[in-house]
Amino acid sequence: MGRPIDARGWIFEVEDTTPTTPAWLRLSNINSWTYNPSENEETADTTTNDSEGLYEQDVMQRGATLEVSGQYAQTAGVRDPGQDYVDNTWAWQLGSESRGRMRYRHKTQTQWTVWDCTVTPGEQGGEHNAKTSWACSFTRCGAPTTEAVTTTPEA
């Protein structure tokens, strides 16, 4: 029987395609995330008289979303590169330009899960004795792929 893994061990990155050589930027200060593997699923009702009163369906479309949230991050007035890319570059794109790539894995895994996806910026805010929040949601487009981790995974 396998052992549970900690939720804080997940790493999320976005691909910055603005430089000549694209680079992966880590999303820092994440403290909560939710993966929904059935988001945007569509089904077709296939119930007929032959179903004898029992419901039947076929899945016609699969989808998924991944939401991350945490704290707005900056150091010496400079925004966290991953959060900055999401907020000020990717989130402003429209049409075919709105698609980008993100990847995620647990620190013990040797494969990234890579999504071609769109991003939706989340709410930011806070109260006077709190840190400023930051969030975004990724909606997968097409099937996920994988790629090997090029450095040794953290233990």
Side-chain angles (χ1 to χ4, degrees):
M1 178 180 275
R3 296 279 307 144
I5 59 175
D6 61 304
R8 74 171 54 120
W10 289 89
I11 302 164
F12 306 94
E13 295 183 345
V14 293
E15 185 180 34
D16 180 354
T17 57
T18 58
T20 305
T21 304
W24 289 100
L25 306 174
R26 186 171 181 165
L27 294 176
S28 300
N29 288 22
I30 301 300
N31 59 23
S32 178
W33 60 273
T34 303
Y35 168 61
N36 184 344
S38 62
E39 186 72 27
N40 298 315
E41 181 178 277
E42 295 290 338
T43 61
D45 183 342
T46 59
T47 308
T48 66
N49 291 345
D50 296 330
S51 301
E52 298 182 5
L54 300 173
Y55 178 78
E56 295 184 39
Q57 74 174 22
D58 288 341
V59 176
M60 303 304 290
Q61 173 180 296
R62 299 268 186 206
T65 58
L66 187 115
E67 298 179 15
V68 296
S69 62
Q71 298 168 340
Y72 186 100
Q74 69 180 29
T75 303
V78 177
R79 280 296 307 277
D80 170 80
Q83 290 183 8
D84 184 62
Y85 180 76
V86 167
D87 288 345
N88 296 311
T89 302
W90 191 358
W92 288 94
Q93 303 302 315
L94 302 172
S96 62
E97 298 297 317
S98 67
R99 285 202 187 180
R101 292 194 323 155
M102 66 86 61
R103 67 184 185 180
Y104 64 94
R105 69 175 177 90
H106 191 267
K107 66 183 181 179
T108 60
Q109 296 174 330
T110 59
Q111 294 278 326
W112 290 99
T113 297
V114 182
W115 285 10
D116 184 40
C117 56
T118 59
V119 69
T120 302
E123 295 181 354
Q124 297 175 10
E127 296 180 11
H128 67 279
N129 286 332
K131 297 294 184 181
T132 302
S133 63
W134 182 86
C136 70
S137 300
F138 300 98
T139 300
R140 193 180 71 211
C141 301
T145 60
T146 60
E147 62 184 39
V149 174
T150 56
T151 59
T152 306
E154 302 166 26

